[in-house]
Amino acid sequence: MSKLNLIIKREFVAKVRNKSFIVMTFLSPLLFVGIAVFVGYLSTMKADQKTIAIHDESGLFIKEFKSDDEYKYVDFSLVDTKILKDSIVNESYEGLLVIPKVTNNDSLQKKIQYISNNSPNASFVEKIENKIAKVITAQNFKSANLDTIAYKNAEAKVEIGLAKASGEEALKGINEVKIVIGGAFGYLIMMFIVIYGNMVMRSVIEEKVSRIIEVIISSVKPFQLMMGKIIGTSLAGVLQFLIWAIIAFVLYFGATMIFGVPMNNKVPNLTAEQVAMANTFNLETLQLYLNEIPLVLMGVCFVFYFIGGYFLYSSFYASIGAAVDNETDSQQFLLPIIMPLILGVYIGFFTVINDPHGTVATVFSMIPLTSPIVMMMRIPFGVPLWQIGVSLALLFATFLLVVWFAAKIYRVGILMYGKKPTWKELYKWSKY
Amino acid sequence: MSNILEANKVVKQYGDYTALNEVSLTVPKGSIYGLLGPNGAGKTSLIRIINQITMPDSGEIILDGEKLNPSHVHSIGYMPEERGLYKTMKVGEQCLYLAQLKGLTKVEAKRELDYWFDRLEIQGWWNKKVQELSKGMAQKVQFVVTVLHKPKLLILDEPFSGFDPVNANLIKDEIIELNKQGTSVIFSTHRMESVEEMCDYIALIHKSNKLIEGKLTDVKKQFRTNNYEVGILSDNIEGLMYDLSQKFTLSQTDFKSLNDELKLEINLGNATPNELLQTLVQRGQVTHFMEKIPSVNDIFIKTVTE
């Protein structure tokens, strides 16, 4: 067995046997499901109903305010506003809406007031404004002698049909689906880099702290040790993902077996049409949506970007581990590594979704430090193959350069103990 | 081929700092070679170059007649001063791993391990994690790991630090035994008594330069002062002192003895030991007569402080 294989095997076994690995692998899916269930449960809970006092002097508007689950409207038109204001201070009501009586509707708008100790949320304000506007609009129609029914009939409703130049029909909301799928892949790459990059770094520090490093590198080349570490750790990560995938698969099929079939039988109240609609959405629509996304290309690219990105970053992590004596000292050097990763995710979620082929998105999907994340998010929107090619070529060229440089720092760093090095010293090491 | 290792004008620089300045060494096959020098002299730099952990800037290393190449890591057993083991790995697995890195197959490694674990009576440790062992126990494992692949050349940096006297002795005997079987040993240490006891060759490195090298006895001859320690019982001390001071330089000294004699350290100058003896015999009863041989410690301190 070659030395590199031996090192890979040892690193892999050491990671996989670690208690925290086992706990993480089997606990985090549970945790994930648990959190999902908990969030679902929370969202079904209703917010407390708030009471709003309304002082409507003209009595024209109060009819529009019908209490619902969220807000209870109470008519206090007969009570003096001053007393009402005091009771708000005592917090008997959430807020007080005062609509004075005026002859001219134009001047009314500025006089309506909502008084509350808590600043109201925007949707609530909009809701009240709409209600008042509706009444005023109706009055305006009336005073101008317009036929409201005729107006309503004349109002046109437009829904644009979306299509591609190739002639196929485009699906609505497909962009959202694309960004979710692209984002999931990009995010997965980032998480993997951060978690397993850190593991590589810790493992390097462990060898330094336990002082076994000099024993090892009297048998193997530091470069072999570094690569073995990076590969071995990544294999442990791949195993973890595989286990998660299998768990998800089993859970999904287990769930459909247990809940899926009997659930349809239990809801006979649904009309045939509704059932048909639900089914079409579940299967055919999903199929349509998935057809829109270049899944095979994504799969292939994921593998390449994953390997390139992970190796690139974990070389950084390895050289940082070599440069410091303990994890606390590593923070200073970690920041510049985390920044481009976070930048990648932000660009993905803010720029790519708005303009997947704009300058910013394109440039960052070429820069090797962000390309694994940004390009993965762009691919569902259709990226020319040459761009993917250039981006991958840049990524792997940078990877080779960084590994070469990291190995130099690693080689010197692993034998240095004592004070935390400065950036300048790291640069000097690379020339030894 | 009579030399296991030759270093020719090895230079190593770290930035502006010169760690080794054209250092040349010759380590004869089958010798125990003491590499001495104060901290920071360049010993570790040289040892790391021999182990191919770092590369020399210029100069070359010849190992057993061949220019140093990557396959030589299998012929060298190295126990660094800063040493350790994977704390959470089991002793047996760890030894197998490190032995395989040194080029042994798993089967060979297992066989050698059984031999050494038996020999050092540590069979029960196979499934223990290193963190469960005491420091001395871990050192024993470390020693086994170093010699497991039957290296031609054993390089030990401060091998006895961390051992209690019993285990230090045990390891010392093992080193001597391996040496008898033909293994050449280079060891770097500050403990001069072990150098005195074990080494047949020494080299002294100071401030990146090699100052002394050679057979231990030759080096001692070179540092010989021609001083003799003398003990004498005499009735006429004044007469004796007068006679002696005519021919030699004297000083009072002290050594352990059972008599209440006069104890002197005498420099012979150009005279022979017999001339001194004759003078002494005429004046009294000689109880002690010994050449003051410089200890390695004396040589070390003298060279380094000069």
Side-chain angles (χ1 to χ4, degrees):
Chain A
M1 206 192 273
S2 85
K3 288 182 184 179
L4 185 64
N5 284 344
L6 278 169
I7 298 166
I8 292 173
K9 195 179 143 204
R10 195 208 84 84
E11 291 296 330
F12 177 77
V13 171
K15 295 289 167 308
V16 171
R17 272 207 203 145
N18 196 312
K19 278 197 193 77
S20 68
F21 178 86
I22 299 166
V23 171
M24 267 291 285
T25 306
F26 292 100
L27 210 62
S28 50
L30 267 177
L31 212 66
F32 182 77
V33 172
I35 288 173
V37 169
F38 185 64
V39 168
Y41 171 73
L42 281 186
S43 65
T44 59
M45 284 189 3
K46 281 171 191 156
D48 291 338
Q49 201 186 32
K50 288 169 183 158
T51 311
I52 311 289
I54 298 176
H55 182 82
D56 178 15
E57 284 179 1
S58 62
L60 288 169
F61 298 92
I62 192 74
K63 284 174 282 171
E64 275 299 317
F65 291 92
K66 293 197 177 80
S67 300
D68 54 25
D69 286 344
E70 252 183 299
Y71 296 101
K72 188 181 173 197
Y73 302 103
V74 189
D75 185 1
F76 277 113
S77 306
L78 301 174
V79 186
D80 190 55
T81 45
K82 214 175 165 194
I83 300 164
L84 286 172
K85 276 180 194 168
D86 287 343
S87 60
I88 284 179
V89 179
N90 301 334
E91 295 187 2
S92 319
Y93 309 109
E94 173 69 19
L96 167 67
L97 182 67
V98 182
I99 309 170
K101 188 176 182 175
V102 275
T103 43
N104 188 353
N105 278 336
D106 291 342
S107 62
L108 178 66
Q109 292 185 23
K110 285 162 199 157
K111 284 180 183 160
I112 298 173
Q113 263 192 318
Y114 178 74
I115 304 155
S116 174
N117 287 332
N118 311 320
S119 56
N121 66 42
S123 70
F124 171 69
V125 175
E126 206 186 320
K127 198 168 163 184
I128 292 179
E129 282 169 351
N130 284 341
K131 284 181 196 294
I132 297 170
K134 199 175 158 192
V135 176
I136 298 177
T137 313
Q139 280 183 356
N140 288 347
F141 274 132
K142 222 178 199 175
S143 54
N145 280 328
L146 287 172
D147 185 352
T148 35
I149 297 164
Y151 173 76
K152 266 201 180 138
N153 288 341
E155 223 173 18
K157 270 193 182 165
V158 180
E159 233 175 293
I160 299 174
L162 300 173
K164 280 189 182 174
S166 54
E168 329 163 22
E169 206 177 311
L171 291 158
K172 270 188 204 162
I174 187 72
N175 275 7
E176 281 69 23
V177 176
K178 281 174 175 172
I179 196 72
V180 164
I181 291 180
F185 276 100
Y187 200 72
L188 205 62
I189 290 181
M190 188 199 86
M191 288 307 290
F192 193 89
I193 288 173
V194 171
I195 292 174
Y196 285 90
N198 254 302
M199 262 191 206
V200 169
M201 187 183 78
R202 267 204 301 277
S203 155
V204 175
I205 294 175
E206 186 209 330
E207 276 174 359
K208 259 188 103 170
V209 171
S210 71
R211 314 267 154 154
I212 195 175
I213 188 71
E214 205 169 339
V215 176
I216 302 274
I217 58 167
S218 69
S219 310
V220 300
K221 290 209 154 44
F223 183 72
Q224 282 178 317
L225 181 61
M226 188 178 96
M227 287 316 289
K229 214 172 254 311
I230 290 173
I231 297 170
T233 308
S234 73
L235 288 180
V238 169
L239 177 74
Q240 192 166 47
F241 276 128
L242 270 180
I243 294 175
W244 286 346
I246 292 168
I247 290 177
F249 190 76
V250 168
L251 280 183
Y252 176 74
F253 276 92
T256 39
M257 289 290 280
I258 298 166
F259 303 111
V261 184
M263 197 131 78
N264 281 348
N265 298 341
K266 266 187 193 168
V267 268
N269 293 344
L270 287 177
T271 62
E273 201 180 323
Q274 275 173 309
V275 171
M277 265 183 61
N279 281 346
T280 13
F281 182 78
N282 280 342
L283 296 168
E284 282 169 37
T285 322
L286 192 70
Q287 200 62 45
L288 273 176
Y289 274 65
L290 289 181
N291 283 347
E292 277 292 299
I293 292 160
L295 283 175
V296 177
L297 180 69
M298 283 206 78
V300 173
C301 286
F302 178 72
V303 172
F304 281 109
Y305 278 108
F306 177 79
I307 294 173
Y310 167 75
F311 277 48
L312 176 68
Y313 274 97
S314 49
S315 317
F316 280 129
Y317 274 105
S319 56
I320 291 173
V324 299
D325 284 354
N326 55 61
E327 253 187 286
T328 9
D329 285 350
S330 66
Q331 297 310 318
Q332 172 200 347
F333 299 108
L334 280 181
L335 192 67
I337 290 192
I338 307 275
M339 291 293 278
L341 285 175
I342 292 174
L343 187 70
V345 170
Y346 274 104
I347 286 174
F349 281 124
F350 291 111
T351 314
V352 172
I353 189 167
N354 287 327
D355 191 4
H357 305 304
T359 317
V360 176
T362 310
V363 166
F364 279 96
S365 66
M366 291 292 162
I367 296 174
L369 289 176
T370 50
S371 67
I373 298 167
V374 178
M375 190 57 105
M376 280 318 291
M377 294 191 181
R378 278 187 66 204
I379 289 175
F381 296 94
V383 178
L385 281 176
W386 69 266
Q387 281 194 8
I388 298 179
V390 170
S391 158
L392 276 175
L394 277 174
L395 178 64
F396 280 90
T398 315
F399 154 66
L400 290 177
L401 196 76
V402 167
V403 166
W404 171 80
F405 183 75
K408 286 191 146 208
I409 291 179
Y410 181 84
R411 196 167 53 92
V412 179
I414 41 177
L415 292 172
M416 294 277 182
Y417 292 98
K419 84 184 225 337
K420 188 169 71 170
T422 59
W423 286 103
K424 208 174 139 195
E425 278 169 314
L426 287 188
Y427 174 70
K428 248 170 71 187
W429 289 0
S430 69
K431 289 168 97 197
Y432 280 173
Chain B
M1 206 38 66
S2 61
N3 293 328
I4 185 76
L5 184 90
E6 284 170 39
N8 295 327
K9 294 191 172 176
V10 171
V11 176
K12 180 73 190 173
Q13 287 188 312
Y14 294 108
D16 298 332
Y17 177 72
T18 305
L20 292 169
N21 182 19
E22 300 203 344
V23 172
S24 300
L25 292 180
T26 308
V27 182
K29 206 173 253 187
S31 64
I32 298 186
Y33 190 100
L35 190 58
L36 315 179
N39 290 326
K43 288 173 300 190
T44 306
S45 293
L46 181 63
I47 288 176
R48 282 181 180 165
I49 287 171
I50 298 172
N51 278 296
Q52 303 179 61
I53 290 170
T54 50
M55 295 293 146
D57 296 330
S58 68
E60 58 169 9
I61 306 275
I62 307 286
L63 189 91
D64 207 8
E66 286 174 57
K67 204 162 185 286
L68 203 62
N69 66 57
S71 72
H72 282 145
V73 295
H74 298 165
S75 323
I76 301 178
Y78 174 43
M79 182 149 87
E81 185 178 3
E82 295 283 6
R83 52 187 171 247
L85 298 161
Y86 288 111
K87 288 196 169 57
T88 52
M89 223 173 154
K90 284 178 183 162
V91 172
E93 274 175 20
Q94 177 144 218
C95 291
L96 280 178
Y97 171 63
L98 294 171
Q100 281 174 282
L101 287 186
K102 281 286 187 189
L104 261 58
T105 66
K106 205 168 182 178
V107 180
E108 286 169 342
K110 182 80 176 59
R111 195 177 56 228
E112 287 302 313
L113 273 174
D114 284 341
Y115 167 78
W116 277 103
F117 274 40
D118 254 5
R119 197 174 162 89
L120 297 179
E121 293 172 352
I122 54 176
Q123 302 94 328
W125 297 359
W126 188 273
N127 277 321
K128 275 193 180 171
K129 281 185 180 173
V130 172
Q131 58 194 3
E132 297 165 27
L133 303 181
S134 74
K135 198 179 172 198
M137 289 157 94
Q139 295 276 45
K140 269 191 180 178
V141 176
Q142 195 100 48
F143 179 76
V144 171
V145 166
T146 313
V147 299
L148 204 60
H149 57 291
K150 296 184 178 160
K152 280 192 258 183
L153 176 63
L154 204 53
I155 302 177
L156 308 167
D157 202 345
E158 291 293 349
F160 302 117
S161 71
F163 279 111
D164 59 66
V166 177
N167 280 323
N169 221 39
L170 187 93
I171 295 302
K172 194 184 81 191
D173 291 345
E174 292 301 335
I175 295 171
I176 290 171
E177 180 59 35
L178 282 168
N179 180 244
K180 274 185 194 157
Q181 290 166 12
T183 311
S184 311
V185 181
I186 294 180
F187 86 88
S188 151
T189 181
H190 296 297
R191 291 196 7 178
M192 296 306 161
E193 67 275 28
S194 52
V195 176
E196 204 83 65
E197 200 181 335
M198 295 171 70
C199 295
D200 7 83
Y201 288 81
I202 62 165
L204 200 151
I205 296 179
H206 182 46
K207 290 188 177 159
S208 320
N209 289 289
K210 183 189 78 181
L211 298 183
I212 301 168
E213 185 188 16
K215 234 181 166 149
L216 185 59
T217 45
D218 292 343
V219 172
K220 287 199 170 188
K221 272 181 199 157
Q222 195 189 322
F223 279 81
R224 180 179 229 174
T225 49
N226 250 355
N227 280 11
Y228 279 73
E229 264 179 4
V230 167
I232 184 164
L233 288 165
S234 173
D235 298 334
N236 186 358
I237 290 174
E238 280 174 25
L240 170 73
M241 292 295 272
Y242 177 77
D243 283 358
L244 287 173
S245 59
Q246 293 296 75
K247 294 178 188 164
F248 313 103
T249 357
L250 324 169
S251 61
Q252 288 270 344
T253 185
D254 197 25
F255 48 83
K256 278 178 188 146
S257 74
L258 299 173
N259 302 309
D260 186 20
E261 69 262 81
L262 178 63
K263 293 168 181 170
L264 297 170
E265 185 174 332
I266 299 168
N267 184 272
L268 286 186
N270 294 322
T272 62
N274 273 4
E275 286 174 61
L276 172 60
L277 258 179
Q278 274 164 8
T279 316
L280 291 170
V281 170
Q282 284 164 13
R283 288 293 186 176
Q285 184 79 32
V286 177
T287 54
H288 180 95
F289 188 86
M290 197 182 85
E291 183 179 0
K292 233 189 146 186
I293 300 168
S295 67
V296 177
N297 202 31
D298 295 336
I299 296 171
F300 183 92
I301 290 169
K302 189 161 181 271
T303 319
V304 167
T305 49
E306 252 171 22

Coordinates of all heavy atoms in Angstrom, one line a residue, chain A residues 296-341:
Chain A
V296 N -28.8 16.7 -14.9 CA -27.6 15.9 -15.2 C -26.3 16.8 -15.1 O -25.3 16.5 -14.5 CB -27.6 15.1 -16.5 CG1 -26.4 14.4 -16.8 CG2 -28.8 14.2 -16.5
L297 N -26.5 17.9 -15.8 CA -25.4 18.9 -15.9 C -25.0 19.3 -14.4 O -23.9 19.5 -14.0 CB -25.8 20.1 -16.7 CG -24.7 21.2 -16.8 CD1 -23.5 20.7 -17.6 CD2 -25.3 22.5 -17.4
M298 N -26.1 19.6 -13.7 CA -25.9 20.0 -12.3 C -25.2 19.0 -11.5 O -24.3 19.3 -10.7 CB -27.2 20.3 -11.6 CG -27.8 21.6 -12.1 SD -28.9 22.3 -10.8 CE -27.8 22.9 -9.6
G299 N -25.6 17.7 -11.7 CA -24.9 16.7 -10.9 C -23.4 16.6 -11.3 O -22.6 16.6 -10.3
V300 N -23.1 16.6 -12.6 CA -21.7 16.5 -13.0 C -20.9 17.7 -12.4 O -19.9 17.6 -11.8 CB -21.6 16.5 -14.5 CG1 -20.2 16.6 -15.0 CG2 -22.3 15.2 -15.0
C301 N -21.5 18.9 -12.6 CA -20.8 20.1 -12.2 C -20.7 20.1 -10.6 O -19.7 20.6 -10.1 CB -21.6 21.4 -12.6 SG -21.4 21.7 -14.3
F302 N -21.7 19.6 -9.9 CA -21.6 19.6 -8.5 C -20.4 18.8 -8.1 O -19.6 19.3 -7.2 CB -22.8 18.9 -7.9 CG -22.8 18.8 -6.4 CD1 -22.9 19.9 -5.6 CD2 -22.6 17.6 -5.8 CE1 -22.9 19.8 -4.2 CE2 -22.6 17.5 -4.4 CZ -22.7 18.6 -3.6
V303 N -20.1 17.7 -8.7 CA -19.0 16.8 -8.3 C -17.7 17.6 -8.6 O -16.8 17.7 -7.7 CB -19.0 15.5 -9.2 CG1 -17.7 14.8 -9.0 CG2 -20.2 14.7 -8.8
F304 N -17.6 18.3 -9.7 CA -16.3 19.0 -10.0 C -16.1 20.2 -9.1 O -15.1 20.5 -8.6 CB -16.3 19.4 -11.5 CG -15.9 18.3 -12.4 CD1 -16.9 17.7 -13.3 CD2 -14.6 17.8 -12.4 CE1 -16.5 16.7 -14.1 CE2 -14.3 16.8 -13.2 CZ -15.2 16.2 -14.1
Y305 N -17.2 21.0 -9.0 CA -17.1 22.2 -8.1 C -16.8 21.8 -6.7 O -16.1 22.5 -5.9 CB -18.3 23.1 -8.3 CG -18.2 24.0 -9.5 CD1 -19.1 23.7 -10.6 CD2 -17.3 25.0 -9.5 CE1 -19.0 24.5 -11.7 CE2 -17.2 25.8 -10.7 CZ -18.1 25.5 -11.7 OH -18.0 26.3 -12.9
F306 N -17.5 20.7 -6.3 CA -17.3 20.2 -4.9 C -15.8 19.9 -4.7 O -15.2 20.3 -3.7 CB -18.2 19.0 -4.8 CG -18.1 18.4 -3.5 CD1 -18.7 18.9 -2.3 CD2 -17.4 17.2 -3.3 CE1 -18.6 18.3 -1.1 CE2 -17.3 16.6 -2.1 CZ -17.9 17.1 -1.0
I307 N -15.3 19.1 -5.6 CA -13.9 18.6 -5.4 C -13.0 19.8 -5.5 O -12.1 20.0 -4.6 CB -13.5 17.6 -6.5 CG1 -14.3 16.3 -6.3 CG2 -12.0 17.3 -6.5 CD1 -14.1 15.3 -7.5
G308 N -13.1 20.7 -6.5 CA -12.3 21.8 -6.7 C -12.3 22.8 -5.5 O -11.3 23.2 -4.9
G309 N -13.6 23.1 -5.1 CA -13.8 24.1 -4.0 C -13.2 23.5 -2.7 O -12.5 24.2 -2.0
Y310 N -13.6 22.3 -2.4 CA -13.2 21.7 -1.2 C -11.6 21.6 -1.1 O -11.1 22.0 -0.1 CB -13.8 20.3 -1.0 CG -13.2 19.6 0.2 CD1 -13.5 19.9 1.5 CD2 -12.3 18.5 -0.1 CE1 -12.9 19.2 2.5 CE2 -11.7 17.9 0.9 CZ -12.0 18.2 2.2 OH -11.4 17.5 3.3
F311 N -11.0 21.1 -2.1 CA -9.6 21.0 -2.1 C -8.9 22.4 -2.0 O -7.9 22.5 -1.3 CB -9.1 20.2 -3.3 CG -9.2 18.8 -3.2 CD1 -10.3 18.2 -2.7 CD2 -8.1 17.9 -3.4 CE1 -10.4 16.8 -2.5 CE2 -8.2 16.6 -3.3 CZ -9.3 16.0 -2.8
L312 N -9.4 23.3 -2.7 CA -8.8 24.7 -2.7 C -8.9 25.2 -1.2 O -7.9 25.6 -0.7 CB -9.6 25.6 -3.6 CG -9.3 27.0 -3.6 CD1 -7.9 27.2 -4.3 CD2 -10.3 27.8 -4.4
Y313 N -10.0 25.1 -0.6 CA -10.2 25.7 0.7 C -9.5 24.9 1.8 O -8.9 25.4 2.7 CB -11.7 25.9 1.0 CG -12.2 27.2 0.5 CD1 -12.9 27.3 -0.7 CD2 -12.0 28.4 1.2 CE1 -13.4 28.5 -1.2 CE2 -12.5 29.6 0.7 CZ -13.2 29.6 -0.5 OH -13.7 30.8 -0.9
S314 N -9.6 23.6 1.6 CA -8.9 22.8 2.7 C -7.4 22.9 2.7 O -6.8 22.7 3.7 CB -9.4 21.4 2.7 OG -9.3 20.8 1.5
S315 N -6.8 23.3 1.5 CA -5.4 23.5 1.5 C -5.1 24.8 2.4 O -4.1 24.8 3.1 CB -4.9 23.8 0.1 OG -5.4 22.9 -0.8
F316 N -6.0 25.8 2.2 CA -5.8 26.9 3.1 C -5.9 26.5 4.6 O -5.1 26.9 5.4 CB -6.9 28.0 2.8 CG -6.7 28.8 1.6 CD1 -7.7 28.9 0.6 CD2 -5.5 29.5 1.4 CE1 -7.5 29.7 -0.5 CE2 -5.3 30.3 0.3 CZ -6.3 30.4 -0.6
Y317 N -7.0 25.7 4.8 CA -7.2 25.3 6.2 C -6.0 24.6 6.8 O -5.5 24.8 7.9 CB -8.4 24.4 6.3 CG -9.7 25.2 6.5 CD1 -10.6 25.3 5.5 CD2 -10.0 25.8 7.7 CE1 -11.8 26.0 5.6 CE2 -11.2 26.5 7.9 CZ -12.1 26.6 6.9 OH -13.3 27.3 7.0
A318 N -5.4 23.7 5.9 CA -4.3 22.9 6.4 C -3.1 23.8 6.7 O -2.4 23.6 7.7 CB -3.9 21.9 5.3
S319 N -2.8 24.8 5.8 CA -1.7 25.6 6.1 C -1.9 26.5 7.3 O -0.9 26.8 8.0 CB -1.3 26.4 4.8 OG -2.4 27.2 4.4
I320 N -3.1 26.9 7.5 CA -3.4 27.7 8.8 C -3.1 26.8 10.0 O -2.5 27.2 11.0 CB -4.8 28.2 8.8 CG1 -5.0 29.3 7.7 CG2 -5.2 28.8 10.1 CD1 -6.4 29.8 7.5
G321 N -3.6 25.6 9.9 CA -3.4 24.6 11.0 C -1.9 24.5 11.3 O -1.5 24.4 12.4
A322 N -1.1 24.4 10.2 CA 0.3 24.3 10.4 C 1.0 25.5 11.0 O 2.0 25.4 11.7 CB 1.0 24.0 9.0
A323 N 0.4 26.7 10.7 CA 1.0 27.9 11.2 C 0.8 28.2 12.6 O 1.6 28.9 13.3 CB 0.5 29.1 10.3
V324 N -0.3 27.7 13.2 CA -0.6 28.0 14.6 C -0.4 26.8 15.5 O -0.3 25.7 15.1 CB -2.1 28.5 14.7 CG1 -2.3 29.8 13.9 CG2 -3.1 27.5 14.3
D325 N -0.4 27.1 16.8 CA -0.3 26.0 17.8 C -1.6 25.6 18.4 O -1.7 24.5 19.0 CB 0.6 26.5 19.0 CG 2.1 26.6 18.6 OD1 2.4 26.1 17.4 OD2 2.9 27.0 19.3
N326 N -2.6 26.4 18.3 CA -3.9 26.0 18.9 C -5.0 26.7 18.1 O -4.8 27.6 17.4 CB -4.0 26.3 20.4 CG -3.7 27.8 20.6 OD1 -4.4 28.7 20.2 ND2 -2.6 28.0 21.4
E327 N -6.2 26.2 18.4 CA -7.3 26.7 17.5 C -7.7 28.1 17.7 O -8.1 28.8 16.8 CB -8.6 25.8 17.8 CG -8.9 24.9 16.7 CD -10.2 24.2 16.9 OE1 -10.2 23.3 17.8 OE2 -11.1 24.5 16.3
T328 N -7.5 28.6 19.0 CA -7.8 30.0 19.2 C -7.0 31.0 18.3 O -7.5 32.0 17.9 CB -7.5 30.4 20.7 OG1 -6.9 29.3 21.3 CG2 -8.8 30.7 21.4
D329 N -5.7 30.6 18.1 CA -4.9 31.4 17.3 C -5.3 31.5 15.8 O -4.8 32.3 15.1 CB -3.4 31.0 17.4 CG -2.8 31.4 18.7 OD1 -3.4 32.1 19.4 OD2 -1.7 30.9 19.0
S330 N -6.1 30.5 15.4 CA -6.4 30.4 14.0 C -7.4 31.4 13.6 O -7.5 31.7 12.4 CB -6.9 29.0 13.7 OG -8.2 28.8 14.4
Q331 N -8.2 32.0 14.5 CA -9.3 32.9 14.1 C -8.8 34.0 13.1 O -9.5 34.2 12.1 CB -9.9 33.5 15.4 CG -10.5 32.5 16.3 CD -11.5 31.6 15.6 OE1 -12.3 32.0 14.8 NE2 -11.4 30.3 15.9
Q332 N -7.7 34.6 13.5 CA -7.2 35.7 12.7 C -7.0 35.3 11.2 O -7.3 36.1 10.3 CB -5.9 36.2 13.3 CG -5.1 37.2 12.5 CD -3.7 37.2 12.9 OE1 -3.3 36.7 13.9 NE2 -2.9 37.9 12.0
F333 N -6.6 34.1 11.0 CA -6.3 33.6 9.6 C -7.5 33.1 9.0 O -7.6 33.0 7.7 CB -5.2 32.6 9.7 CG -3.9 33.1 10.2 CD1 -3.5 32.6 11.5 CD2 -3.1 34.0 9.5 CE1 -2.3 33.1 12.0 CE2 -1.9 34.4 10.0 CZ -1.5 34.0 11.3
L334 N -8.5 32.7 9.8 CA -9.7 32.1 9.2 C -10.6 33.1 8.5 O -11.3 32.8 7.6 CB -10.5 31.3 10.3 CG -10.0 29.9 10.6 CD1 -10.8 29.3 11.7 CD2 -9.9 29.1 9.4
L335 N -10.6 34.3 9.1 CA -11.6 35.3 8.6 C -11.5 35.5 7.1 O -12.5 35.4 6.4 CB -11.4 36.6 9.4 CG -12.5 37.7 9.1 CD1 -13.8 37.2 9.7 CD2 -12.1 39.0 9.7
P336 N -10.3 35.7 6.5 CA -10.2 35.9 5.1 C -10.7 34.7 4.3 O -10.9 34.8 3.1 CB -8.7 36.2 4.8 CG -8.1 36.3 6.1 CD -9.0 35.8 7.2
I337 N -10.7 33.5 4.9 CA -11.2 32.3 4.2 C -12.7 32.3 4.2 O -13.3 31.9 3.2 CB -10.6 31.1 4.9 CG1 -9.1 31.0 4.7 CG2 -11.3 29.8 4.4 CD1 -8.6 29.7 5.0
I338 N -13.3 32.6 5.3 CA -14.7 32.6 5.5 C -15.4 33.6 4.6 O -16.5 33.4 4.0 CB -15.2 32.7 6.9 CG1 -14.4 31.7 7.8 CG2 -16.7 32.6 7.1 CD1 -15.0 30.4 7.9
M339 N -14.8 34.8 4.5 CA -15.4 35.9 3.8 C -15.8 35.6 2.4 O -17.0 35.8 2.0 CB -14.4 37.1 3.8 CG -14.1 37.8 5.1 SD -15.6 38.6 5.7 CE -15.5 40.1 4.9
P340 N -14.9 35.1 1.5 CA -15.4 34.8 0.2 C -16.5 33.8 0.1 O -17.4 33.8 -0.8 CB -14.1 34.2 -0.5 CG -13.1 34.1 0.5 CD -13.5 34.8 1.7
L341 N -16.5 32.8 1.1 CA -17.6 31.8 1.1 C -18.9 32.5 1.4 O -19.9 32.3 0.7 CB -17.3 30.8 2.2 CG -16.2 29.8 1.9 CD1 -16.0 28.9 3.1 CD2 -16.6 28.9 0.7

